[in-house]
Amino acid sequence: MPILFNEKEMLFKLDTLSSSYIIQVYDEGYLLHLYYGAKIPDMNVKGLAFKGLHTSHNPGNEIINNRLGNDQEFSMDLAPMEYPTFGAGDFRTSAIQIKNSAGNSVTDIRYKGHRIYDGKPQLEGLPATFAREDEAQTLEIFAEDAVTGAAVTLIYTVFEGYGAMARSVRVTNTSDKAMDLEKVYSCSVDFPGMDYQMVNLYGEWFEEREEVHRNLQHGTQGIYSKRGGSSHEHNPFLALIGLDATEEHGECYGFNFVYSGNFVMEVDVDCRCCSRFTGGINPETFNWHLEPGETFQAPEMVMVYSNEGMTGMSHTFHRLYMKHLIRSRWRDVRRPVLINSWEAAYFDFDDDKLVAFAEEAKDLGIDMLVMDDGWFGKRNNDDSSLGDWYVNTDKLKGGLSSLIERVNALGLKFGIWYEPEMVSPDSDLYRAHPDWCLHVEGREKSIARNQLVLDMSRQDVRDNLFEQIASVFRNNKIDYIKWDFNRSLTEAASMLLPAERQGEVFHRFVLGTYELMDRFTREFPDVLFENCASGGGRFDAGMLYYSPQIWTSDDTDAIERLSIQFGTSLVYPVSTMGAHVADRPRTPLATRGDVALMGTFGYELDPRKLSDEDKELVKKQIEEYHRYYDLIHFGDLYRLIKPVDNAYHCAWQYVNEEKTETLVTVVTMRQRRTPFFILRLRGLDPTKLYKDMDTGEIYSGALLMNAGINLTPLHTGATDHAPSTDGTSLKKYFKELGN
Ligand code: GLA
């Protein structure tokens, strides 16, 4: 059983195949965190909680002190607390802070009971990992603040076979007075040391999710979003990895928040050199008013432990998300190769131009035409019409159905762009309902990209959007939606909520968006859903629950995209990354194709402008996409040479589950003057023999992984043997002999 309770010792032990996590119920019901790390068989771990005698600066509990004399062994300020509270003796970062009816925020929770059961609960209104009863086990620890009547349930689900756990927290007001949740984090883990690197994914628009490492220092360090979305700047992912951990080796603890709004993830290192990870909804933009009897459910944090380096951590996230997070039926289905009109035409298109794109695309082997921004209201640039989701008949002269029929007649599917959460001041929707956007009476409304943000906490707003969008989908054969979100939230106030609930707006906005996506995906389960937020501004696990693929970045330059795709792949599966070949000629078309193969493949260019030679290459790329689909989308990814680590080359590799096939891609970002280049592969079976399908040469897995393949170019400019000039790429495909 993955979850054990030892009643005599009052210990909980949560085991996966690779990790153990141990919680103790201490005197007076304090919940202590004893251990998280590689799997251990023991329960005898109570000694791990002691961090030295406390001083007059580290408060102890009154009852324990009276009973034991001056108990110098236990202080809330030093002990590894399982879910630390604010104001009652622990001065490190707290996980929960509740303002009670007396007006203070002192919070103190103690163990009351627990429940262990098979399966996993759904989190009401929130995306979360899911599992059948035979796939996971859950522990709920019931804790209580006896003075205020806040009942706090700590929820832990163990995915035993994956090396992963999911945590969340539920708070119910059992008193007869209102209270305010000022902070409810989803997770806190105390580590017995500070010898870790913090790894996170940093960036901005056009440059999302670059992998960043720093060694922990005393004090706090962390990442956050206050933008309303999970953001381009900091992805809701943080890992603590050993100082000597690498891609291939060492201990890694990965935390990924299943949430698409404001968050905080931070590490607080105390003066005893212990580190506390905490994460959850950003308290700076959050206050949840809880009336008697009401319950608040915090989102989920997924936790992965790997002692096989960052690769092991990524594989766990990928496998877990492919089976237990993404719920679209498209998850396991081959995605259509699409051509998107955005970079091909921007706002300048009509039905004939789109049909001309489709005509060319059909001959190339492309499966779907996506009509991006500009098809609705009177939108000819970005200064109007968001919210008016009816066809611009000046552009689509015969209307939408006629365009779709023409595209379908060519044998292509049809997809469409929406940005549901936004409204242009110059729109019929805004003129009819000026109070539907987020704003503060009397204040100027901040404008970004000429648009305002709708108040998604309002049912009437969501109903209007759903009806507008659903009627288009009900009346037209649309196979795909690109759901965009192109600005951050400001003046986040809602006209419908009372003063004491205005602190809920940011979270209610996210809940409202989730509800709309839920309705949409339930009514149109066959529609392929691609998320987008000015590229990858909401590339998070919350969105993956609804949308099996997300547009990774607006940056379609193949070389710049390498670090974006590599960073994204630390957490998110390859099949979730929208990756297109664009008209960015500084890199050869072949390389652009090879880079875009690391994702859900498509084109973002005017196909009429391709030369005959390029058309042949595009056909070949699409054939390769189909040939390698299963290997790339369902295999394991190995980041062989990261673009952030090496100025010259970037290389990655996919290996199928049976280890019978592997595909290696190498991009020469810049050619060395002394070009000697050996590349060692990973993830193969050392005892198997593999055939290089280009040359027919046969190598053992042991050779490929230890000696490597020699990619030194024969002479400068040669492209047959190695990617030798700047921006060129090379693929190598090996198959097990006899397979
Ligand atoms: C965002 C998206 C782009 C495109 C434009 C349209 O920037 O990331 O792909 O859809 O909006 O306005």
Side-chain angles (χ1 to χ4, degrees), residues 342 347 372-373 379 417 449 482 484 486 532-535 551 554 604:
W342 181 242
F347 294 101
D372 210 281
D373 194 355
R379 190 153 166 105
W417 181 94
R449 211 192 186 206
K482 178 172 169 187
D484 215 332
N486 278 320
C532 178
S534 294
W551 180 227
D554 277 346
E604 189 109 10

Side-chain angles (χ1 to χ4, degrees), residues 689-710:
L689 291 177
Y690 295 91
K691 183 171 175 181
D692 179 330
M693 298 307 283
D694 287 332
T695 64
E697 299 278 357
I698 291 162
Y699 306 103
S700 69
L703 176 139
L704 291 171
M705 292 193 292
N706 294 302
I709 46 179
N710 191 345

Side-chain angles (χ1 to χ4, degrees), residues 128-132 135 159 162 317-336 525-529 544-549 573-577 600 625 629-630 632-635:
T129 53
F130 48 81
R132 293 192 315 257
E135 292 176 324
F159 290 92
Y162 289 86
F317 275 120
H318 295 180
R319 288 174 192 149
L320 183 74
Y321 288 177
M322 286 297 280
K323 285 272 180 276
H324 297 282
L325 177 67
I326 302 166
R327 54 171 199 174
S328 163
R329 57 182 61 161
W330 280 97
R331 179 189 69 193
D332 303 322
V333 176
R334 183 165 301 197
R335 313 290 165 76
D526 294 327
V527 170
L528 173 57
F529 191 144
L544 284 185
Y545 182 75
Y546 305 99
S547 155
Q549 62 194 55
V574 169
S575 71
T576 66
M577 296 196 274
T600 59
Y625 165 79
Y629 188 90
D630 288 349
I632 292 176
H633 287 243
F634 304 118

Side-chain angles (χ1 to χ4, degrees), residues 57-75:
H57 301 288
N58 310 123
N61 172 275
E62 185 183 352
I63 298 171
I64 299 176
N65 265 23
N66 287 344
R67 194 169 54 234
L68 300 179
N70 191 16
D71 173 25
Q72 295 206 321
E73 291 190 8
F74 176 74
S75 157

